[in-house]
Amino acid sequence: MAGVRLEGVSKVFGNTTAVARTDLEIKDGEFLVLVGPSGCGKSTTLRMIAGLETPTEGDIYIGERKVTHLEPKDRDIAMVFQNYALYPHMKVFDNMAFGLRLRKLPKKEIEARVKEAAEILGIAHLLDRYPKQLSGGQRQRVALGRAIVRHPQVFLMDEPLSNLDAKLRVQTRAELIKLHQRLETTVIYVTHDQTEAMTMGTRIVVMKDGVVQQVGTPREIYNNP
Ligand code: ADP
Ligand code: ADP
């Protein structure tokens, strides 16, 4: 596991400043929630940490390593999106194994990691199914599983629960919190849902118009809305 640091990071698209001169330190092992209204720059911030966007200025560090210009695959991160984007023609096992095969891990190691992640997520009995044979909640677990098998230093999650119905969303929140405790990893979690932020984050960053407005524990944010 590793912390993440943003130093004076901005992202400008044409004449839109999506993120403005942001400094942020995410500690080793914390569950940091980035919250704020649509368009405030949450996804762009996450995408820069992931390496899917390059900052217009500033630098990003993962652990002690400057990653500002590294490819996503060289950053030791795994990302979970709201759209699970599972490969429809591949069974659950192969969906979860895909990234490890790309990285040419030994077959035995791949099997062990997929089975371990499937046990943790309670989907061990679904490994032979195709995505279309799964419920929305099960698919979302597979998407998480695909990230977990990588054993990343940092998990990046962009509204991972927003496609689930309300009941399943609440249940999955609790499971993600447990998962974070069990894996002892660093999580950066983007949501526009304040309840989600308050219940899940060990620390919360409130963004507005590309600027960090507030940083604190849920209690601190609650006491100073
Ligand atoms: P959020 O995740 O908080 O909804 P985003 O980071 O997606 O916000 O977007 C921040 C701002 O940057 C918005 O005004 C959005 O329209 C703009 N933006 C994001 N990505 C792009 C892009 N690829 N090209 C142009 N504008 C973008
Ligand atoms: P989110 O729900 O994460 O805010 P959006 O629907 O805003 O996602 O954006 C989805 C994708 O479109 C992202 O890759 C983002 O960078 C891109 N995007 C967002 N706003 C714009 C824009 N104004 N012009 C071009 N691309 C954009």
Side-chain angles (χ1 to χ4, degrees):
M1 96 183 144
V4 176
R5 204 165 76 243
L6 276 65
E7 287 186 355
V9 169
S10 302
K11 181 67 184 181
V12 179
F13 296 106
N15 47 23
T16 304
T17 300
V19 178
R21 291 191 153 275
T22 293
D23 296 311
L24 200 57
E25 179 144 18
I26 298 123
K27 298 184 194 105
D28 226 13
E30 87 175 321
F31 195 123
L32 184 101
V33 179
L34 269 178
V35 68
S38 181
C40 72
K42 309 181 293 293
S43 291
T44 302
T45 302
L46 202 71
R47 291 168 60 81
M48 288 192 285
I49 297 168
L52 300 171
E53 301 280 3
T54 308
T56 308
E57 59 177 349
D59 280 305
I60 298 177
Y61 297 80
I62 297 180
E64 289 311 308
R65 201 157 62 117
K66 192 201 272 194
V67 301
T68 317
H69 298 286
L70 290 185
E71 296 282 310
K73 67 174 172 48
D74 297 326
R75 293 191 179 205
D76 218 348
I77 48 109
M79 190 146 175
V80 183
F81 299 93
Q82 63 182 282
N83 300 315
Y84 322 122
L86 302 179
Y87 300 109
H89 59 289
M90 286 186 200
K91 289 181 174 176
V92 168
F93 183 96
D94 298 310
N95 262 288
M96 287 171 66
F98 187 78
L100 301 181
R101 287 183 178 142
L102 271 187
R103 287 171 179 76
K104 305 217 184 321
L105 265 71
K107 204 171 158 213
K108 280 251 174 341
E109 173 75 14
I110 293 178
E111 263 185 42
R113 288 198 190 190
V114 170
K115 285 191 175 144
E116 181 199 30
E119 291 294 337
I120 290 174
L121 294 165
I123 54 173
H125 60 298
L126 303 174
L127 291 174
D128 276 330
R129 293 211 196 160
Y130 288 94
K132 67 170 187 298
Q133 299 169 309
L134 303 176
S135 70
Q138 290 169 335
R139 273 183 217 158
Q140 200 259 355
R141 270 158 222 262
V142 177
L144 273 172
R146 212 166 41 174
I148 290 173
V149 295
R150 303 256 316 277
H151 295 178
Q153 301 252 35
V154 180
F155 276 101
L156 305 176
M157 304 194 189
D158 194 348
E159 308 254 7
L161 309 185
S162 61
N163 283 345
L164 302 179
D165 66 47
K167 187 172 160 210
L168 194 56
R169 194 155 63 227
V170 170
Q171 186 187 328
T172 311
R173 266 184 213 157
E175 286 173 8
L176 274 182
I177 293 168
K178 275 196 213 135
L179 190 65
H180 169 247
Q181 286 163 351
R182 170 156 180 183
L183 298 177
E184 298 184 322
T185 183
T186 307
V187 176
I188 308 176
Y189 187 101
V190 162
T191 183
H192 65 271
D193 183 328
Q194 298 203 11
T195 310
E196 206 159 286
M198 296 299 256
T199 51
M200 298 187 79
T202 51
R203 224 154 48 101
I204 298 174
V205 171
V206 183
M207 284 186 79
K208 195 183 171 196
D209 298 336
V211 176
V212 171
Q213 281 212 313
Q214 255 186 312
V215 182
T217 61
R219 180 181 290 267
E220 287 162 354
I221 302 278
Y222 184 77
N223 289 331
N224 291 293

